[in-house]
Every structure is written in C-alpha cells, then in structure tokens.
Amino acid sequence: VVSTQSTGEVGGGGDLLIGDLLSLDYPAPTPAQQPVAANNANQQQPVADLLGDIFGGIDLGGGAAPAPVAASNPMDLFSLSAPANYVAPPQVLLPAARAKGLEVSGTFARRNKVINMDLTLTNKTMMGMSGFAIQFNKNSFGLAPGAPLSVNCPVLPGVSAPTSLAIVTTGPVMKMEPLLKVQMAMKNDIDVFYFECVVPAYVLFVEEGSMERNLFPQMWREIPDEKEKQFSLPFTNKSQEQVEQVLTANNVFVVATRQGGDGEHLIYTSVKFTNGIWVLGELRLAAGAPPTLALKTQTVAAIPDVHAAICTILAD
C-alpha cells in the first residue's frame, strides 16, 4: 500500500526540501551510492532453534546432503495461471485542495526490471493546465525520475491525464525516516506543489535476488542473531504452492522448502534490494494457524519494509 502525506507549502525546516526540489531542470543523475547503513535499534532475540531448522537438511559441503524438498524451478512457476507481480490500487498523493485544483493520484509498479510511478493528473479548475514537471528529494535508495514527466497537455478542466514515470536508482542518497519515504515536487504552469509518499518495498526487490542454496546457510550464520526479527502474519488461505508462486512473482525468491514438525511447511527465501541489501527469511505455514516469518539481514532498518511487503503480497 502506498502511504502518502501532502503539503500545500513547506513550513519550518523545509529549506533543504525547497533547495533540492525547485531546480526542475533535470540535472544528470549522480553515480549510485553505497547501500544504506544498518540500523541496530530495536533488535529482537533470534528465533529459538532456527539455525537447526535451516541447516539440518541443507548441504554445507563435504558430502552428500539429506534430501530436503527442493525449491520449485522458477521457470515452472510461470505457467498461464501463475500470478502477476502485485500492484497496489492508486491512491490520492496530492489532493486538489492543496494544489490549486490539481489532483495527483498514483501507484508504484515494477515492470521489466524498471520501477514505474503510474500517475493520473486531474484538473479540477476552470482553466487548462500545462508545463508539468516532477522532481524527487534525496532519499534512502537514490530514487529519481528517469526522464521528464510526459503529460498530454493542456489538461482541460474536468479531464484526467494518465502517465507513467520510469524511476531510476542513481539519484542522490540520504537516509530517510521512514526508510522508504520520498519527498516530491510537482510543477505546472500555476505553481509548485510539495508532497511525499512511502514507496512499497516490493518494487525495489530485484530480479537478481535468487540465492544459491549452499550460500544461504553461510550468509545466515554470518549475520548476528540480534539482527533477526520474527513476526506473526495474517492468516492466508493460500496453499504452499500458491504462496511460493506469489512470492516468486514479486522477486521474493524461494531458496529451499522442507517439511517441519506437525505438518508445517518451511519456506526459505531471499530478497535483494536495488542497492544490494540482502534479506533472508524463513516462512512457516501450518494448517489452521497464521503463518510466522523470521527475517535476518545486516541492515535491520530494512526489515519492517520487507515484512510489510510480504504481508501485502500474501494478502493479495
């Protein structure tokens, strides 16, 4: 779900935002920055016996491994009935009352390895609008417009103009709170308007996030236990196969699966963000009980967003 907050004007503390956003002449993107540093606050105790669960049936080298249930071949998942990647319904990002009659609604989607911001600009005034442009402030993942905003102008009174903006990850980086908040400025021939939204994490999961089985336990061991968090997820009616399909369709890759005690299904996952952050997971499914999820990463600040993304994907 896209979270939004809009402002008609910037008050105290907005000097940095104004300085960064008013130059809407699209300078060349800066080189990609290093991944966001880990946030070690609010750490949680590791899942009891989780290491034994993960490593008990996976080959760590030195001989043949017992035979866990192998992860499905990703190519087998994309049949005609396989799910598409999740796209949240559009939401109002900038209300007309705060933008002199311009309403901006939109959502984020990942298509063909590209992040897209799908927008609809609605003119609720009595005159035409033109001269549209958009710019992003510095943010945690270097998100920035990949090209000038293309709008069929003029946008006449009462008309809605759809457009799609490709987003690159080579913009300037500054850690935000929350991590995926992006401040934006929308310009037209009337004025410049400021708003912000929280980009859903699943559009930042890259297609290269599938991890080899022998690397998974090695990376899990290298991450300190205090950088692990566990969650109880909302109940799902999806089968294990359906869960694996929707996760894979959204670049949450299944590394391996196996049977646990009491009929549990354990699914081990890997996610890689656009800036190189890896997040490993263990998802437990049990009949008649809500799923549980353990996430582990060197960058603890990313865990809440991965948790929220997986909840959204499974609820679809």
Side-chain angles (χ1 to χ4, degrees), residues 151-169:
V151 181
N152 188 16
C153 291
V155 180
L156 300 177
V159 171
S160 295
T163 185
S164 186
L165 178 71
I167 297 176
V168 297
T169 57

Side-chain angles (χ1 to χ4, degrees), residues 84-165:
N85 62 325
Y86 178 77
V87 180
Q91 294 185 11
V92 175
L93 307 176
L94 180 63
R98 293 181 175 269
K100 299 181 180 179
L102 169 65
E103 180 182 276
V104 180
S105 61
T107 188
F108 293 88
R110 188 173 185 89
R111 294 189 291 268
N112 300 319
K113 299 186 176 183
V114 177
I115 303 169
N116 293 271
M117 188 177 186
D118 297 332
L119 297 170
T120 299
L121 311 182
T122 301
N123 183 356
K124 296 191 173 182
T125 72
M126 300 300 292
M127 63 184 71
M129 293 181 178
S130 59
F132 291 94
I134 191 170
Q135 190 161 326
F136 297 1
N137 199 5
K138 300 173 184 178
N139 56 82
S140 302
F141 288 84
L143 302 179
L149 185 64
S150 177
V151 181
N152 188 16
C153 291
V155 180
L156 300 177
V159 171
S160 295
T163 185
S164 186
L165 178 71

